[in-house]
Amino acid sequence: MIPYVTVEEASFALGRNLTWLETVWFDYSATKSDYYLYCHNILFLFLVFSLAPLPLVLVELARSASGWFDRYKIQPKVNYSLSDMFGCYKDVMKMFILVVGPLQLVSYPSIQMIGIRSGLPLPTLSEMLPQLFVYFLIEDYTNYWVHRFFHSKWGYENIHRVHHEYTAPIGYAAPYAHWAEVLVLGIPTFMGPAIAPGHMITFWLWIALRQMEAIETHSGYDFPWSPTKYIPFYGGAEYHDYHHYVGGQSHSNFASVFTYCDYIYGTDKGYRFQKKLLEQIKESSKKRNKQNGGIKSD
């Protein structure tokens, strides 16, 4: 809770006038407890889980009906109906109500312990961006090893197989998992803020961005505007789709965000071999078509 009664008092304590955003934050949060503010995570996660995959639902329906977006679909032979995708969403919401929501309600003491603040001043962009980058790196590294454990015989058969029920991922399947996996994967997500704690707004943004990244990675589409085209070492949908396609036997592409762990520890060899093989087949097909006087393929 902000320890000031008025905006003037807050300005005096900071030694400057509040920015417009700080004034809005003061008006909203001054009389609210830190626990109440922290519980906003539940609302943000609900909105992200519900709304972020919706454009992908429309893309999938348009593709199934008319063939639009076929060239971007990573596994074009797989079609999902509206009922299929809504069924996945219902399962995710059950997990949200029974596991994710209650976990948020009881985990506030850990937020207090690590020192995430909710007062003034608000973090600047130059403060938030490095923190978010560090959070992504820490989560990516720790998630890599947790993911590898889930692909052990015991981990896969008892827990992780639920997430792999979708061999061709869709956006709503990003948080679709066994309840134990949901709980365990909360640890890598929380480690970044625990090591480099910041403001509550930064924490909210981190949770939302991480889930939106997971939804993009499970989209099933490799669009021209996908982040993997612009961010070095970013895995993305095409990279993670291979992991789901191989399924329980997969010992490749464990990375959640970036690809450096897979490269360093040699767990992307199957993916790189398949990609190279497909490129060779495509090139051979082009040469045959050219020699036969056929139409040059894209």
Side-chain angles (χ1 to χ4, degrees):
M1 184 178 294
I2 295 177
Y4 312 117
V5 178
T6 64
V7 171
E8 290 73 19
E9 185 179 344
S11 299
F12 180 79
L14 294 179
R16 60 170 174 79
N17 292 329
L18 271 61
T19 65
W20 178 81
L21 285 175
E22 287 174 332
T23 303
V24 171
W25 178 251
F26 181 91
D27 291 339
Y28 180 73
S29 66
T31 59
K32 295 177 175 62
S33 69
D34 288 347
Y35 178 69
Y36 180 85
L37 294 173
Y38 172 68
C39 288
H40 282 49
N41 261 337
I42 299 174
L43 173 62
F44 295 146
L45 284 171
F46 171 76
L47 292 175
V48 170
F49 287 165
S50 300
L51 301 180
L54 274 181
L56 297 169
V57 171
L58 298 178
V59 167
E60 182 69 15
L61 294 177
R63 189 190 72 86
S64 299
S66 62
W68 292 357
F69 304 108
D70 256 350
R71 58 178 172 166
Y72 304 127
K73 180 75 172 179
I74 300 170
Q75 297 188 47
K77 293 182 179 180
V78 178
N79 295 304
Y80 288 109
S81 66
L82 182 60
S83 61
D84 292 332
M85 292 181 280
F86 184 65
C88 180
Y89 173 70
K90 286 195 297 183
D91 289 335
V92 167
M93 282 298 104
K94 288 178 185 176
M95 186 64 64
F96 181 84
I97 294 170
L98 297 175
V99 179
V100 178
L103 179 63
Q104 296 294 314
L105 291 174
V106 302
S107 60
Y108 176 67
S110 62
I111 296 296
Q112 286 182 305
M113 181 179 66
I114 65 176
I116 290 180
R117 64 185 183 88
S118 62
L120 296 173
L122 292 183
T124 62
L125 198 60
S126 61
E127 178 186 344
M128 293 174 68
L129 290 180
Q131 283 181 323
L132 290 170
F133 180 66
V134 168
Y135 295 173
F136 270 109
L137 287 179
I138 293 172
E139 192 278 343
D140 188 64
Y141 187 80
T142 51
N143 187 292
Y144 172 85
W145 291 106
V146 172
H147 197 176
R148 284 191 69 168
F149 163 74
F150 280 142
H151 274 268
S152 66
K153 181 177 175 61
W154 184 92
Y156 188 86
E157 291 180 355
N158 291 280
I159 299 176
H160 195 50
R161 62 176 177 79
V162 175
H163 183 66
H164 274 270
E165 289 176 9
Y166 288 89
T167 55
I170 56 175
Y172 278 125
Y176 178 82
H178 190 282
W179 64 266
E181 181 169 349
V182 173
L183 292 177
V184 172
L185 289 181
I187 298 173
T189 303
F190 186 73
M191 281 190 69
I195 293 172
H199 197 276
M200 186 73 74
I201 291 177
T202 307
F203 185 76
W204 289 346
L205 188 58
W206 156 240
I207 296 299
L209 287 175
R210 178 62 186 92
Q211 297 308 317
M212 291 175 70
E213 184 278 330
I215 290 167
E216 191 280 328
T217 298
H218 288 81
S219 68
Y221 287 86
D222 187 26
F223 295 114
W225 54 84
S226 296
T228 188
K229 306 291 194 302
Y230 308 100
I231 302 176
F233 305 109
Y234 181 81
E238 192 261 346
Y239 188 84
H240 193 67
D241 203 279
Y242 173 81
H243 177 82
H244 274 261
Y245 177 75
V246 177
Q249 303 303 315
S250 178
H251 293 283
S252 184
N253 296 23
F254 294 112
S256 64
V257 183
F258 302 108
T259 61
Y260 67 94
C261 280
D262 281 315
Y263 181 79
I264 292 172
Y265 299 112
T267 49
D268 63 348
K269 293 179 180 179
Y271 166 74
R272 285 191 284 138
F273 175 79
Q274 188 210 44
K275 195 168 184 177
K276 184 177 180 180
L277 184 63
L278 290 175
E279 288 174 354
Q280 291 174 346
I281 293 172
K282 188 175 181 180
E283 188 63 31
S284 297
S285 178
K286 285 182 179 181
K287 289 180 179 178
R288 284 197 302 270
N289 287 337
K290 188 174 182 179
Q291 290 171 354
N292 296 332
I295 299 175
K296 188 175 181 181
S297 62
D298 292 328

